[in-house]
Amino acid sequence: MSVMRRLAATRPQQAARPPKPLAATQLWWLHPSRIVLLVLMPVYLSILAYDFKQRVPLVYVPGLDYWFGALLLLALVTGMQWALATCSPERRHAEPPRISLELMMLLLLPALLAYAVWFAPLLSRPQLLVDIALGRRSELRGDIATVKGVTTFTQFGVAYIIAYAIKLGAPHSRLRRIEHMGALLIFVLAVFRAFAWAERLAVIELVVCFTVTRMAYLQLRTPLTRRVAIWLPAMAPFALYGIFTASEYFRTWEFLSNQYSSVWAMSADRLITYYATAVNNGIGVLVEDPDWPYYSGGF
């Protein structure tokens, strides 16, 4: 009887014990090989159903290079699984790297310089921005140009945002005001680039890199936060569709409204076309270039 009493006395305490926090890195959609198999591969294979003949004069899908692309995706999965299998638990849960202020500035300054060189011509032609705001033009690609080897340095901004997210989540790091201002400036410039250069990817890549890196240090302590985090990818396509439709409404709906029944139909068609033609164009570059591959680093 004494044993039964002790067991009964401990049951309420055990039931009241809070659940163990779930690390965000344990979420299925932050597992690299699952993302490739469950998201990237189905999207890649779905391109087979796209009617390319209505959009492009030369169709390269399907073909040997297309299936080679699928093989490369499987090679990614194999490499990821091998890396995870050979990585010790101590290394998986190692302390985040310590990133100095000097390194942060080394990432920030080239990005700011590249943006300054890229969009400096607008200082003498502010009317171009007014035309975009008034809907007279959709982008500035025909009015200003990139500078090879210089404007590509804007990608340092992506590295800066990743380092910023690491320092924001690492318990031993302390962010200075200039680092916060740098992150804000990179995001503002990316938004400007998305509208002036019609390159929405500039914002998307920052948001995705920041979110994934920041979640590496989150602890999901409550059942609600765990459920929301687990089902977040299910809501992501609808959010993408809504944001894309909003941007297309201000960017191209005025010019294409007579070709579609609604802005939603237009945005869906353009969104699918972006992904499908990107694969077709990429394969076309390889097929039509007899001298490929180059070993100069240009690609």
Side-chain angles (χ1 to χ4, degrees):
M1 289 295 294
S2 60
V3 174
M4 295 298 293
R5 289 196 194 97
R6 284 198 297 269
L7 288 175
T10 57
R11 282 173 186 165
Q13 297 176 1
Q14 292 173 352
R17 185 179 300 171
K20 185 179 179 181
L22 174 70
T25 48
Q26 296 176 264
L27 294 170
W28 69 268
W29 54 274
L30 284 180
H31 193 288
S33 60
R34 292 173 187 168
I35 278 290
V36 175
L37 285 177
L38 300 178
V39 179
L40 293 185
M41 185 64 83
V43 170
Y44 188 78
L45 294 177
S46 68
I47 291 172
L48 289 171
Y50 185 78
D51 188 2
F52 286 97
K53 294 181 180 180
Q54 291 186 356
R55 297 293 183 181
V56 292
L58 297 174
V59 181
Y60 303 96
V61 176
L64 182 62
D65 291 289
Y66 173 81
W67 295 115
F68 182 63
L71 183 63
L72 290 178
L73 288 176
L74 294 177
L76 279 176
V77 174
T78 303
M80 293 167 181
Q81 288 300 111
W82 178 83
L84 290 172
T86 57
C87 182
S88 64
E90 293 77 14
R91 292 188 63 187
R92 289 193 193 185
H93 303 286
E95 286 292 319
R98 295 180 181 272
I99 304 174
S100 65
L101 176 63
E102 291 76 15
L103 179 56
M104 294 292 287
M105 294 301 103
L106 192 62
L107 297 175
L108 176 64
L109 294 178
L112 297 183
L113 176 62
Y115 273 112
V117 172
W118 191 353
F119 294 109
L122 293 178
L123 295 176
S124 59
R125 304 174 65 185
Q127 183 60 38
L128 294 176
L129 295 178
V130 176
D131 290 343
I132 289 181
L134 296 178
R136 297 171 184 167
R137 64 174 71 231
S138 59
E139 60 186 46
L140 300 178
R141 296 191 181 215
D143 300 281
I144 59 176
T146 57
V147 181
K148 289 185 177 181
V150 176
T151 50
T152 308
F153 275 33
T154 55
Q155 292 304 107
F156 274 90
V158 180
Y160 179 86
I161 291 300
I162 293 173
Y164 176 79
I166 291 175
K167 295 192 71 172
L168 193 64
H172 55 66
S173 297
R174 183 176 66 87
L175 282 161
R176 295 169 175 82
R177 181 178 298 178
I178 189 173
E179 293 172 299
H180 290 298
M181 293 299 297
L184 178 61
L185 190 56
I186 290 294
F187 270 105
V188 170
L189 288 171
V191 172
F192 174 79
R193 175 178 165 186
F195 284 96
W197 203 253
E199 191 177 0
R200 284 170 289 247
L201 183 62
V203 178
I204 295 173
E205 64 186 3
L206 290 183
V207 172
V208 170
C209 289
F210 176 83
T211 302
V212 172
T213 308
R214 182 67 184 90
M215 290 195 73
Y217 306 105
L218 288 181
Q219 295 290 325
L220 308 175
R221 300 184 180 278
T222 66
L224 177 60
T225 56
R226 286 194 287 270
R227 282 195 295 269
V228 171
I230 290 172
W231 289 101
L232 189 60
M235 297 179 284
F238 299 100
L240 172 64
Y241 182 39
I243 295 171
F244 184 82
T245 302
S247 63
E248 285 297 301
Y249 177 81
F250 294 103
R251 181 173 173 242
T252 57
W253 177 239
E254 179 182 356
F255 309 103
L256 301 177
S257 58
N258 60 335
Q259 301 179 26
Y260 295 91
S261 59
S262 68
V263 66
W264 297 100
M266 180 201 71
S267 65
D269 181 58
R270 288 176 65 83
L271 186 60
I272 295 170
T273 299
Y274 276 138
Y275 285 100
T277 55
V279 174
N280 188 70
N281 293 343
I283 295 174
V285 169
L286 306 184
V287 173
E288 299 295 337
D289 189 349
D291 297 325
W292 186 89
Y294 300 101
Y295 298 99
S296 62
F299 282 89

